[in-house]
Amino acid sequence: MAPSSDSPSAPNPSGIPSSAKPAPCSGCGFHYNCLCDAVPRLDSKVRIELLMHETETERATNTGQLLEACLPYCRRHVWQRKDPPIELLTLLADPAAEPVLVFLSDDAVPLEQITARRCSKPEAKPIHFIILDATWQQAKKMRNKSPWLQDIPTVVLPSGLVTEYSLRRNQPEGALCTCEVGIVLMKAMGEQENAEKVDQYFHHFMDTFDADRQHKSVR
């Protein structure tokens, strides 16, 4: 398969033959800058379920993978319209869990309302935040075409958030990338220090991606 335009392995605009590239790291996939040692290993209690559109699994610019690498309770479920992920369906049917979908809908409740209830009752069922890991257009289709998502309570992030994600063009105004959503959730759940570490890793990832695309080392 030819590399996508957002991959670290995309053709070099400087004209240097691709054969001159170092071999990619087997862990992070970068050619000039290994990111593996920069991954923070966190003792986080935040539970995130990434419902990843199948096209995102091949995109190097995907940021859900950053949350997977950092958080012990972050799981990936690949969305396919005719083949719902069994592991996620099992979670949704579990009476001991409280799944919520991070999605802007007419009946969505503010995130702080959910987290305040959790903080006031530590013995309450663990919240599992489901993030639609896709473009905004894909995310809307994913929910609309998945009847099993319709009855899940939805939460909306605070207003006024601004993305710092720079690896994709034409992003909707006010939309955050998946990793940024996870950072907001960690802060809301009282894990400020963990959120800051993931944020640092997120920016390091973007710097590394840009440098690798230009065949440069991060200084």
Side-chain angles (χ1 to χ4, degrees):
M1 179 181 295
S4 62
S5 60
D6 59 1
S7 166
S9 301
N12 178 17
S14 67
I16 299 175
S18 58
S19 59
K21 286 184 179 182
C25 172
S26 60
C28 64
F30 289 111
H31 291 265
Y32 295 88
N33 304 274
C34 179
L35 198 62
C36 296
D37 289 342
V39 180
R41 308 297 181 182
L42 305 177
D43 182 19
S44 172
K45 304 302 182 185
V46 176
R47 291 167 168 80
I48 292 179
E49 310 294 336
L50 295 175
L51 186 53
M52 184 179 291
H53 193 279
E54 55 188 333
T55 62
E56 286 292 320
T57 63
E58 301 297 329
R59 302 195 72 176
T61 52
N62 174 272
T63 63
Q65 62 181 322
L66 307 184
L67 296 176
E68 284 184 281
C70 298
L71 304 180
Y73 297 109
C74 179
R75 300 186 296 179
R76 176 190 301 200
H77 313 272
V78 178
W79 182 88
Q80 295 175 317
R81 187 171 65 87
K82 297 183 179 180
D83 189 17
I86 298 300
E87 192 174 15
L88 184 55
L89 293 181
T90 301
L91 172 69
L92 299 182
D94 185 355
E98 183 180 357
V100 295
L101 179 65
V102 183
F103 190 82
L104 179 59
S105 65
D106 292 338
D107 56 351
V109 301
L111 173 62
E112 55 267 27
Q113 181 174 323
I114 295 291
T115 55
R117 185 169 72 243
R118 171 63 179 167
C119 293
S120 64
K121 297 181 178 180
E123 74 283 0
K125 296 184 291 186
I127 301 172
H128 291 255
F129 294 102
I130 302 172
I131 303 177
L132 301 181
D133 191 7
T135 66
W136 179 241
Q137 293 79 7
Q138 288 172 334
K140 290 188 289 186
K141 292 180 180 179
M142 288 166 66
R143 185 169 188 260
N144 293 337
K145 294 180 181 293
S146 303
W148 47 276
L149 286 177
Q150 301 302 317
D151 294 331
I152 304 174
T154 54
V155 298
V156 61
L157 302 182
S159 60
L161 299 174
V162 179
T163 185
E164 295 184 4
Y165 183 58
S166 60
L167 300 182
R168 296 186 189 177
R169 301 174 182 174
N170 303 320
Q171 298 301 302
E173 184 176 353
L176 303 182
C177 73
T178 299
C179 188
E180 290 174 314
V181 173
I183 291 169
V184 173
L185 296 178
M186 281 184 278
K187 290 180 179 178
M189 293 294 286
E191 296 192 6
Q192 182 68 34
E193 184 176 348
N194 283 341
E196 291 174 358
K197 290 180 179 178
V198 175
D199 185 63
Q200 292 171 3
Y201 176 52
F202 166 62
H203 283 86
H204 190 23
F205 168 77
M206 289 193 294
D207 291 342
T208 301
F209 193 101
D210 282 334
D212 218 70
R213 185 159 49 186
Q214 299 175 50
H215 293 208
K216 297 179 179 179
S217 296
V218 176
R219 295 181 178 179

